[in-house]
Amino acid sequence: MKKATQLQIKEHNRTLVLRTIYNSEPVSRSAIAKRTLLTKTTVSEVVADLIEEGFTNEIGHGPSSGGPRPVLLGFRPEARTLLGVDLANDEFRGSLMDLRGKILASEAIPINNPDGDTALEKVYALIDKLKTHESSPLLGIGIGSPGLINASEGIVRNAVNLDWTDLPLVQLLEQRYQIPVYIANDTQVAAMAEYSFGDHVNIENLAVIKIGIGLSGGFIINGKLFHGDGHGAGEIGHIVVAENGPRCRCGNAGCLETVVSSQALLNHFTAYADRHPEYLEILHVKQAGDIRIRHLYQACLNDDPVIADFMKNASHYLSISISHLVGILNIETVVLAGMLSKFFAPYLEDIAEEVRQRSLSALSSKTRIVLSTLGEDIVTRGAGSLVLKNELELV
Ligand SMILES: [Zn+2]
């Protein structure tokens, strides 16, 4: 029993010292002792272990404060590699990253409405491919998956697009690769990416709304990813906001994602172009069925008034949902991510203003609505950060 306790203390001290170096490098041993309240002897012992494991090294000397100049320690992001996978797109994507989330190599495998077994084979193929780029020991694999995920048991409860029901993905991957594997829903993983590697590092409360084919939210609350009781936290895309709105894939009508998503945009403009064939010329397409998001984005950049009308309506409904989030959680920073988020660039201040009108001013006066700067890698990098968090407790 005593031995176990000593081991736990040793682990705890190691985490404290490693985290201090990660967050405050370059830093001296005595500065670490001051910040962690550990004795200098303990810090020196832990640092010796960390140097041996490759996580830190001596990188020079700091200024003297009377005595000899202190030796400074740096963090070595290349000490281990993180592997992150994004299964929430029309292709599977994955990246190898260093411990600061810098991408070292990326791979993608196209998928076309796969059955469950094929989808799983493609996950293996993607990871096998990525592993050929490994330059330092792999710390673990992180997965951002669409659908309902039981993160603690590592099970994909239901991912319709991948034809998976109750798939023990973590167990399968751990057996195959013999390293730790972590999984969460792709939007929850995107929130981890913002918290770990985005413009909002270590902001204790953060809402990330990912707007792509569908719409969902991921929440960091008190510095931790919030999963909810049934692991479905953040399914705000299926809250009804538009009375008598369009039919939703969930069976309901007027859900937020029926008015704010790339699918909503495509549905709207395919129908619009059918009624107004002259609009096809503006989009530079031959027929309504050829319209893609990129055509609409170009029109958006050209200040096309029809797109502007759609976006104003979408911004209105998004504001309603964000005002609820602000009212319930008092979160000040709301990050828009995903394929459609760039369409909202001209409307961010309008959304913030409507949120202020719709909620208690004491809560919403500080609300910031911003766009993610992590781009297409947001889920793969977030998946990497799941590993970093669980294995080294660095984020
Ligand atoms: Zn719905």
Side-chain angles (χ1 to χ4, degrees), residues 105-157:
S106 293
E107 293 284 355
I109 290 188
I111 52 160
N112 299 306
N113 299 318
D115 62 49
D117 289 341
T118 311
L120 185 59
E121 285 303 323
K122 297 218 170 191
V123 175
Y124 293 154
L126 178 67
I127 296 173
D128 290 347
K129 245 181 165 180
L130 281 165
K131 276 176 66 67
T132 63
H133 301 290
E134 231 177 276
S135 53
S136 65
L138 200 55
L139 192 63
I141 297 173
I143 310 277
S145 170
L148 206 51
I149 312 297
N150 183 331
S152 52
E153 290 180 23
I155 295 170
V156 179
R157 287 181 52 197

Side-chain angles (χ1 to χ4, degrees), residues 237-238 248 250 255:
H238 296 286
C248 181
C250 74
C255 295

Side-chain angles (χ1 to χ4, degrees), residues 236-240 246-258:
I236 55 173
H238 296 286
I239 295 176
V240 175
R247 175 81 31 205
C248 181
R249 56 182 172 153
C250 74
N252 223 330
C255 295
L256 181 61
E257 73 170 45
T258 66

